[in-house]
Amino acid sequence: MNSLKLKIPPVIVVALALALMKIISLFTPASEWLVSLPSGLPLLFLAIGAFVAVSGVVEFRRHKTTVNPLLTTEATALVSGGIYKITRNPMYLGMLLALVGGVFYWANLFAALGCLAFVFYMNRFQIEPEEEYLTGQFPDAFPEYMTKVRRWI
C-alpha cells in the first residue's frame, strides 16, 4: 500500500470520489430530508470550498513554494499564515467541502461515503507522507505548528 503514497494527484482523487458519489446516488434512494433543503446549498458548499482551497494556493504563492502536492521535495517554506492558521490543509478541506456539496446536490446521504473515502485516502496516502516530509524539512517549526493547527479543521 505504500506505493500509493504521494502518487495520485488530489484532483484525480476528488474526481474519483465524485464519480463514486454519483454511482452511489444512482443505485440508492434519495434522502427525503435532504430533498427538502434549499436548492442553493450545493452551490454554497462549492463556493466555500473553492474559497478555502484558493486561499491556500494564494498563501503558497505568496511564500513562493510549490502547490504541487506530489513535489514535496520542492517545498521551500513552511506556510503557517492566512488560512493556514485555521487548517493545515485548506486545499484538501476545500475539495472536501465541494464533495459535501455533491451530497446535497444528489440529496443522497449514502453519497457521503465518497466523502469518507476521500478523507481516508487523503489522510493515509497524501497528508501523512507530507507531514513526515515537512517534519524532516522543518524539524522544530512543523511539529510545533501541528500542535497549534488541526489537520482538517
Side-chain angles (χ1 to χ4, degrees):
M1 283 296 228
N2 284 342
S3 63
L4 289 176
K5 287 182 178 181
L6 301 172
K7 296 292 187 222
I8 302 174
V11 173
I12 300 295
V13 178
V14 168
L16 292 171
L18 201 56
L20 174 64
M21 292 167 68
K22 173 63 176 170
I23 291 167
I24 289 171
S25 70
L26 290 173
F27 294 101
T28 58
S31 305
E32 288 304 318
W33 66 276
L34 287 175
V35 172
S36 64
L37 293 174
S39 61
L41 211 49
L43 257 152
L44 178 63
F45 271 85
L46 181 62
I48 293 170
F51 176 79
V52 169
V54 169
S55 296
V57 172
V58 167
E59 283 299 311
F60 269 37
R61 294 284 188 225
R62 280 187 49 224
H63 288 84
K64 295 179 175 52
T65 192
T66 182
V67 296
N68 185 338
L70 305 182
L71 298 176
T72 55
T73 57
E74 294 185 18
T76 57
L78 177 60
V79 180
S80 59
I83 191 79
Y84 288 91
K85 290 180 182 178
I86 300 167
T87 175
R88 294 197 313 254
N89 297 286
M91 292 175 242
Y92 305 149
L93 176 60
M95 292 174 189
L96 176 61
L97 290 170
L99 289 174
V100 170
V103 172
F104 291 113
Y105 178 77
W106 288 302
N108 191 308
L109 195 56
F110 294 107
L113 292 172
C115 296
L116 293 174
F118 174 77
V119 170
F120 172 79
Y121 181 89
M122 293 304 291
N123 277 334
R124 177 75 174 90
F125 299 108
Q126 190 66 42
I127 296 171
E128 289 175 8
E130 286 176 2
E131 289 175 346
E132 288 174 26
Y133 171 76
L134 290 170
T135 298
Q137 186 79 351
F138 309 101
D140 297 324
F142 189 71
E144 180 183 338
Y145 173 65
M146 287 192 334
T147 65
K148 294 177 182 174
V149 180
R150 295 177 60 95
R151 183 180 276 177
W152 289 92
I153 193 163

